[in-house]
Amino acid sequence: MAHPAVNSAAQTDAAPPAIGKAQFAYDWLKTRIDDGTFGPGFRLVLDQIARDTSMSPVPVREAIRRLEAEGLVTFVRNVGAQVAMLDPTEYRHTMQTLGLVEGAATALSAPTLSVEAIARARQINAQMRDTLRHFDPTRFTTLNRDFHSALYSTCPNPHILDLVHRGWNRLSVLRESTFGFVPGRAAESVAEHDQILDLVEQRASAHDIEHAARDHRLATLNAFLSSRAPTHHVGPQEGTS
């Protein structure tokens, strides 16, 4: 895969500051991995990165090793360092767990959500709908996280909330990019968001809100699994008894 062009301004800004060259290289690489500039499978060519950051290959190598320890980079024989691919098994386990705890957190948060908070969630979902015209999976995924955060962030149970945060962080490490793999799922996701918000506004039962949020998460998981193995589906009841 060709290395993205780096404009002259970016190269000028790349001069390593006093924080240390290895740290600067780490931050430079991680930012590009997080924002999708360097997507799953992207080759990290040591000499090219060193030129782009105006430093020697030594601190770049150290930064790449650190990213490897964090699971964001892998070394492939005859290929070299590359951004880690999405691991389907780990992704499935994380999404199943997140469906459980996020569903519970959303249901517990619902009675505490203000009219303004619900309006904010609807605004975010409207922005997600707008991105469907010229689909940008990275932007959509960022808004998706903001949307769900708006619904579960007031959960009064700190232990459940901690598990939700752990799940989202785990998705980041796994390079969660479901909507890039299955862009058709995005429109369905936005529609399901509207349904969850309707339940919250109607002061539906905790049971109904929890299951709507959980089934929404599993529907995204199923879309991804179907794109890779059409016979493998996760029913709404899996892991709920």
Side-chain angles (χ1 to χ4, degrees), residues 72-131:
L72 292 175
V73 169
T74 57
F75 279 84
V76 179
R77 186 176 182 180
N78 298 325
V79 174
Q82 65 178 36
V83 178
M85 300 293 288
L86 183 64
D87 184 323
T89 300
E90 287 298 317
Y91 179 69
R92 174 164 55 86
H93 292 165
T94 299
M95 289 287 279
Q96 287 172 341
T97 303
L98 188 55
L100 289 168
V101 295
E102 187 178 65
T106 301
L108 290 171
S109 293
T112 72
L113 291 175
S114 65
V115 173
E116 292 77 15
I118 296 173
R120 172 58 179 156
R122 285 203 182 277
Q123 181 185 37
I124 294 171
N125 203 40
Q127 292 176 327
M128 295 178 71
R129 185 174 280 110
D130 287 342
T131 69

Side-chain angles (χ1 to χ4, degrees), residues 4 10 19 33 35 39 42 49 57 79-80 84-85 94 158 162 164 188 218 230:
I19 60 173
I33 292 173
D35 68 16
F42 179 82
I49 295 170
V79 174
M85 300 293 288
T94 299
D162 178 63
V164 174
E188 298 172 354
L218 293 181

Side-chain angles (χ1 to χ4, degrees), residues 14-34:
I19 60 173
K21 292 183 177 181
Q23 181 65 45
F24 178 81
Y26 170 85
D27 293 339
W28 191 91
L29 285 166
K30 192 172 188 302
T31 295
R32 284 154 180 76
I33 292 173
D34 287 344

Side-chain angles (χ1 to χ4, degrees), residues 30-82:
K30 192 172 188 302
T31 295
R32 284 154 180 76
I33 292 173
D34 287 344
D35 68 16
T37 301
F38 296 168
F42 179 82
R43 288 187 61 199
L44 299 174
V45 181
L46 195 66
D47 291 340
Q48 180 64 54
I49 295 170
R51 286 193 293 272
D52 290 344
T53 55
S54 302
M55 63 176 68
S56 73
V58 176
V60 175
R61 184 181 297 107
E62 182 178 337
I64 289 175
R65 290 296 184 185
R66 180 176 167 188
L67 290 165
E68 180 191 18
E70 295 176 0
L72 292 175
V73 169
T74 57
F75 279 84
V76 179
R77 186 176 182 180
N78 298 325
V79 174
Q82 65 178 36

Side-chain angles (χ1 to χ4, degrees), residues 90-191:
E90 287 298 317
Y91 179 69
R92 174 164 55 86
H93 292 165
T94 299
M95 289 287 279
Q96 287 172 341
T97 303
L98 188 55
L100 289 168
V101 295
E102 187 178 65
T106 301
L108 290 171
S109 293
T112 72
L113 291 175
S114 65
V115 173
E116 292 77 15
I118 296 173
R120 172 58 179 156
R122 285 203 182 277
Q123 181 185 37
I124 294 171
N125 203 40
Q127 292 176 327
M128 295 178 71
R129 185 174 280 110
D130 287 342
T131 69
L132 299 177
R133 300 172 186 173
H134 303 286
F135 191 56
D136 178 351
T138 300
R139 172 65 173 159
F140 188 90
T141 298
T142 298
L143 289 170
N144 184 55
R145 180 164 188 166
D146 291 343
F147 173 85
H148 286 286
S149 179
L151 294 188
Y152 67 65
S153 61
T154 61
C155 174
N157 187 318
H159 299 292
I160 292 177
L161 196 56
D162 178 63
L163 290 172
V164 174
H165 290 154
R166 286 172 181 264
W168 276 100
N169 290 337
R170 182 60 183 155
L171 287 181
S172 296
V173 172
L174 290 170
R175 304 298 305 124
E176 192 265 333
S177 53
T178 308
F179 300 108
F181 288 109
V182 194
R185 169 63 188 153
E188 298 172 354
S189 183
V190 170

